[in-house]
Amino acid sequence: MPQAIEVRKVPIHSVADASELTKLIDDGVIAADRVIAIIGKTEGNGGVNDYTRIIADRAFREVLVEKGADPAAVKEIPIVWSGGTDGVISPHATIFATTDAEPTDDKRLTVGFAMSEVLLPEDIGRTAMVTKVADAVKVAMERAGITDVADVHYVQTKTPLLTLSTIEDAKSRGETVFTEDTLYSMDVSNGGTALGIAVALGEIDMPTDEQVLKDRSLYSAVASCSSGVELDRAQVVVVGNATGVGGRYRIGHAVMEDALDQDGLWDAIRSAGLDLPDRPHTSDLDGRVVNLFLKCETSADGKVRGRRNAMLDDSDVHWHRQIKAAVGGVAAAVTGDPAVFVSVSAAHQGPEGGGPVAAIVDLG
């Protein structure tokens, strides 16, 4: 049986700062050798060359080793950084650690982790990627003690995208790649990964190569996929609820139907177990929302609720940054806290123009 989970959100005060993780350990809230996953936002550009993710990764791993965790074990901890804190989004990290708690009959938060087989450049955005990711999701579910896919509420992944060097590697072996546009390959990697999650959870049947990034009716309601240059496999973190693990926390999910859908955020919080009035207000949360985790995407028709916007036509500021800032503002208005996890490039993650939302709450 998996152990109970303690989960805390901490601010990041500068690019290389992990001082709040140090405080949690020094105060005895968590133990360094019991940290099992970290998911956070860094303040870089969110693009292919966003090295703030690597800097933050190093800072947090160094603290865990300094505080007594085994260096070899620390290397294997999934730490997923999403770059870009556009608008009011504040840099932060959500830290998951095992803790001792009495088992309960009520379902409580559980976390499982797995790594996929190596993803070759020619796999990205194709069924080979979908299959490898789906296999890893099933392993992570098993490790989380989840037997019913309905108890999976959030699957956070990190996968490789394409770079000039990996594209050349594929060509040198006589292989082709989905795209040679490295920034677009972020969407491709995220979309292929999301389809793998959807297949593993029975949300869709196995897609064809031709459907990847084309058939947007295929999506996962719980996938949150990020990609970067710092790995060659899929890191998969499955977060859900299980009976018997104990602890104070629960997770739930819903979807935003579009970029302004506050009801989707409130529905995710309700799904996690908080009772809310019909017309909720931030004050109704009483500080019990640990964090919201969202994916967002600009609608391909260039509209929100029938009104035209110019994000897809803007040559100065990429739409990734604009939609992230907009949805971050909506989420922060609900929670009253700008430290929300909002990630862009949501191909096959939630409905077209919207995205999945997961909420972790403290039930006391």
Side-chain angles (χ1 to χ4, degrees):
M1 174 62 66
Q3 294 175 290
I5 301 296
E6 182 65 38
V7 54
R8 295 295 178 98
K9 181 172 66 178
V10 297
I12 298 175
H13 302 294
S14 64
V15 174
D17 173 61
S19 61
E20 298 292 342
L21 172 59
T22 300
K23 289 180 183 177
L24 286 179
I25 296 169
D26 288 346
D27 291 345
V29 177
I30 61 174
D33 59 359
R34 300 188 72 172
V35 172
I36 58 171
I38 298 172
I39 298 171
K41 291 293 300 182
T42 66
E43 60 201 83
N45 61 23
V48 175
N49 64 336
D50 183 353
Y51 298 109
T52 65
R53 297 182 297 232
I54 297 174
I55 294 169
D57 189 271
R58 178 178 298 175
F60 275 71
R61 292 186 198 274
E62 286 178 350
V63 165
L64 294 176
V65 172
E66 177 186 327
K67 293 298 179 179
D70 177 64
V74 168
K75 287 182 180 179
E76 298 301 315
I77 294 172
I79 301 183
V80 179
W81 297 109
S82 170
T85 50
D86 302 273
V88 300
I89 300 171
S90 184
H92 68 279
T94 304
I95 301 160
F96 299 83
T98 60
T99 188
D100 298 319
E102 289 296 321
T104 63
D105 292 331
D106 296 329
K107 292 181 178 180
R108 290 292 186 268
L109 186 72
T110 182
V111 178
F113 166 66
M115 293 287 281
S116 75
E117 295 180 32
V118 171
L119 290 165
L120 301 173
E122 58 266 30
D123 293 341
I124 294 174
R126 292 170 174 160
T127 52
M129 180 183 213
V130 174
T131 299
K132 290 178 180 180
V133 169
D135 289 343
V137 170
K138 293 174 184 176
V139 172
M141 272 184 63
E142 183 178 356
R143 291 175 177 172
I146 297 174
T147 57
D148 185 348
V149 295
D151 288 325
V152 176
H153 294 279
Y154 177 43
V155 182
Q156 178 65 59
T157 63
K158 191 76 175 187
T159 51
L161 44 70
L162 292 167
T163 65
L164 292 179
S165 62
T166 58
I167 292 169
E168 287 304 312
D169 171 61
K171 288 181 176 180
S172 72
R173 293 181 286 103
E175 301 290 346
T176 63
V177 293
F178 190 103
T179 179
E180 295 190 20
D181 182 332
T182 57
L183 182 56
Y184 179 58
S185 77
M186 180 182 295
D187 299 329
V188 174
S189 182
N190 291 358
T193 303
L195 291 173
I197 295 167
V199 167
L201 301 180
E203 295 175 285
I204 63 170
D205 294 327
M206 187 70 185
T208 64
D209 282 345
E210 292 71 29
Q211 289 177 297
V212 179
L213 263 70
K214 296 293 192 298
D215 186 351
R216 295 302 183 95
S217 69
L218 304 178
Y219 67 83
S220 170
V222 299
S224 176
C225 306
S226 293
S227 51
V229 298
E230 61 266 40
L231 72 176
D232 63 1
R233 296 182 290 169
Q235 283 185 346
V236 178
V237 182
V238 168
V239 189
N241 300 312
T243 302
V245 295
R248 296 162 42 193
Y249 304 95
R250 261 180 69 95
I251 186 169
H253 80 277
V255 296
M256 292 180 75
E257 296 296 339
D258 61 35
L260 301 179
D261 184 16
Q262 289 194 15
D263 288 341
L265 304 179
W266 292 116
D267 287 345
I269 295 168
R270 288 189 180 96
S271 170
L274 285 192
D275 291 327
L276 296 171
D278 290 338
R279 293 176 62 84
H281 182 267
T282 303
S283 59
D284 296 315
L285 300 177
D286 196 27
R288 296 175 72 181
V289 173
V290 178
N291 208 357
L292 294 182
F293 302 85
L294 304 87
K295 290 294 293 190
C296 59
E297 183 95 348
T298 300
S299 181
D301 65 5
K303 296 179 181 178
V304 175
R305 301 193 180 181
R307 296 289 192 180
R308 183 178 70 89
N309 61 71
M311 285 186 282
L312 294 175
D313 289 325
D314 195 330
S315 298
D316 295 316
V317 182
H318 196 275
W319 66 263
H320 277 192
R321 310 198 71 168
Q322 298 190 48
I323 193 65
K324 191 188 307 176
V327 174
V330 173
V334 166
T335 64
D337 182 358
V340 287
F341 185 91
V342 181
S343 177
V344 75
S345 186
H348 301 299
Q349 299 151 77
E352 169 71 19
V357 186
I360 295 177
V361 303
D362 184 349
L363 296 179

